[in-house]
Amino acid sequence: MFGLRPRPCPRALDLPTSPCRRGSALPRTPILLVAALLLAGAYAVAAARLGPVLFPRSARPAATSGNTSEMATLRAVEAILTSVQAAVQAEQLDKARTILDQAVARFPRDQMLHLARADLLIRLAYPDSRQSIPDSDTQALIREAYDSQLRALEIGPRSPELEFAAGSMARSLGDLDAAIAHFNAAQQADRSNASYPLNLAQVLLVREELDQAKAHAAVAVSLDPDLANAWGMLAEIALRQSEPRLATQHIEKAVALQPTEIAWRHLQARAFNRLAQAEQALASLDALKVEDRYSRLCLQLAGESFGLLRQPEQALARYEEALAWGASDPEIVLDAALWAERVGQRARALELATRARAAGLEGADRVIERLSRTENPGG
């Protein structure tokens, strides 16, 4: 009906990552993933519910230049959104924005128009691969979209779908308090949708509120046992709460559901390493495709496993395999240098550290300095 179909948006962090928690990130869902999916549907849903009440064809005349009503007629909304759709299809997004800006100024109490404006602003925030805009501009556009979404919620009705979309926007803006409030509202309004407690759990996990995050993730899997993200989140929480054995049980379910998902294998390897079950950890990592097995994180986890097995030579061999395969990340090269130093291959370590520095990694300087000292025994 309305013709505005949101584009897929770039990905947002659902879980924090840090050097001290390698591999802690779960598979990331797109920023406003649910917003992107639901906003388009929300227009039709709300129109179906509200059309007979808010936009009766016989109760109000079509909008004219002299009409000062704060709510547009159905005919006016259709005309506005048809113009917006035409501008979008012609890739004239600025024109589409002008149309909607003028429309919401003229009809400030029309929920449909505010929702359409929020949708369009997300399109502007995330142009296609042929274009790029500064992060500051992206955030400003998301902020405007969120403001429009809040206005639509204020006008009502406050459906769980619209609360959820607003929560996704708030999370992408880093406003976790608002995101929690919106996700809570969505969950309270509809307790049958597993996405609501799942996303609430994700935000709580970012805030390190582990017990609450675990409770909501458990609700999510009770509603949808095939929700791999929820099992992965429960595994992450178990690891953070020093329960690696429980983590292996949860992550086993996620792996069974999505055996090729990289993050699940990383989590599984971390849990096995925490249990000193290094061979199982290596088996988890070796189940990945070659290009994923030779990522820096995967190599670090494998190095940790070989360290537990007291096989530093095998750790270096794994790094050498990665370099021979074509891994060129200077961080990987420097990690390989450190393993070479550890097993006493000083010349190889210096060669690798020098290569890392030539690639622009300033952190290699101290390693090169240490290896270059004549008194350095090389081990």
Side-chain angles (χ1 to χ4, degrees):
M1 172 182 175
F2 296 99
L4 281 176
R5 186 168 297 175
R7 295 159 131 17
C9 297
R11 298 186 169 195
L13 285 176
D14 288 327
L15 295 176
T17 57
S18 66
C20 63
R21 287 201 180 95
R22 300 191 302 269
S24 64
L26 299 185
R28 299 174 180 177
T29 54
I31 287 181
L32 311 183
L33 171 62
V34 178
L37 294 174
L38 293 177
L39 278 176
Y43 305 147
V45 171
R49 292 178 179 175
L50 302 181
V53 178
L54 300 184
F55 310 127
R57 292 181 182 274
S58 59
R60 295 187 299 181
T64 65
S65 58
N67 190 347
T68 59
S69 171
E70 290 191 341
M71 186 177 295
T73 64
L74 178 59
R75 183 177 299 175
V77 170
E78 288 178 338
I80 291 166
L81 294 183
T82 296
S83 298
V84 172
Q85 180 182 21
V88 169
Q89 290 176 341
E91 298 187 354
Q92 298 175 333
L93 298 186
D94 288 339
K95 177 181 178 180
R97 180 178 182 179
T98 298
I99 294 170
L100 282 172
D101 285 348
Q102 292 174 348
V104 296
R106 183 177 181 185
F107 304 113
R109 294 289 303 170
D110 199 292
Q111 188 187 51
M112 293 297 97
L113 295 178
H114 285 285
L115 290 174
R117 184 172 183 270
D119 180 34
L120 180 65
L121 288 166
I122 294 303
R123 287 175 176 266
L124 291 169
Y126 300 109
D128 60 33
S129 57
R130 295 171 299 173
Q131 309 171 50
S132 63
I133 63 175
D135 289 343
S136 58
D137 291 349
T138 296
Q139 288 292 294
L141 287 164
I142 297 173
R143 168 58 63 184
E144 284 195 69
Y146 179 52
D147 290 342
S148 286
Q149 192 76 8
L150 289 179
R151 183 63 174 143
L153 285 169
E154 179 186 345
I155 294 168
R158 299 182 73 100
S159 71
E161 296 88 354
L162 299 186
E163 290 282 9
F164 190 26
S168 299
M169 295 180 193
R171 178 171 54 183
S172 74
L173 291 169
D175 190 345
L176 301 187
D177 287 338
I180 288 172
H182 289 302
F183 291 146
N184 257 321
Q187 185 179 10
Q188 292 298 318
D190 180 2
R191 294 185 178 276
S192 67
N193 191 324
S195 295
Y196 301 162
L198 174 65
N199 280 264
L200 181 53
Q202 288 172 334
V203 177
L204 291 167
L205 184 54
V206 169
R207 289 167 55 132
E208 292 288 334
E209 297 178 21
L210 301 184
D211 288 335
Q212 290 190 53
K214 179 167 61 176
H216 288 289
V219 171
V221 295
S222 72
L223 292 170
D224 184 358
D226 293 333
L227 201 58
N229 274 22
W231 290 114
M233 188 179 306
L234 286 169
E236 175 70 28
I237 292 168
L239 277 178
R240 296 192 190 186
Q241 293 186 324
S242 300
E243 297 182 280
R245 195 166 302 281
L246 180 59
T248 62
Q249 297 171 16
H250 291 319
I251 200 61
E252 183 178 355
K253 294 182 174 68
V255 169
L257 291 165
Q258 295 178 338
T260 61
E261 175 54 58
I262 302 169
W264 304 153
R265 296 295 182 176
H266 289 169
L267 268 170
Q268 194 170 43
R270 288 171 56 212
F272 280 134
N273 278 341
R274 289 275 294 275
L275 291 168
Q277 296 176 0
E279 291 180 351
Q280 291 93 323
L282 289 168
S284 297
L285 299 173
D286 289 343
L288 293 170
K289 297 177 182 178
V290 171
E291 58 266 30
D292 299 324
R293 199 159 62 239
Y294 292 149
S295 70
R296 188 184 184 212
L297 175 55
C298 205
L299 288 167
Q300 288 175 325
L301 289 169
E304 184 179 334
S305 299
F306 285 120
L308 290 169
L309 293 170
R310 300 182 183 277
Q311 296 176 353
E313 297 84 359
Q314 291 300 314
L316 176 59
R318 179 68 64 101
Y319 274 90
E320 292 286 11
E321 290 172 8
L323 295 175
W325 173 79
S328 58
D329 182 346
E331 296 277 4
I332 291 177
V333 177
L334 185 59
D335 289 344
L338 295 175
W339 279 108
E341 181 184 17
R342 187 173 301 178
V343 300
Q345 295 186 21
R346 177 183 170 191
R348 178 59 173 162
L350 182 57
E351 175 189 351
L352 291 168
T354 303
R355 186 196 304 182
R357 184 63 185 90
L361 187 62
E362 296 181 2
D365 287 338
R366 286 181 295 177
V367 178
I368 293 172
E369 181 183 357
R370 182 174 68 248
L371 292 168
S372 298
R373 294 174 187 156
T374 57
E375 67 272 18
N376 191 306

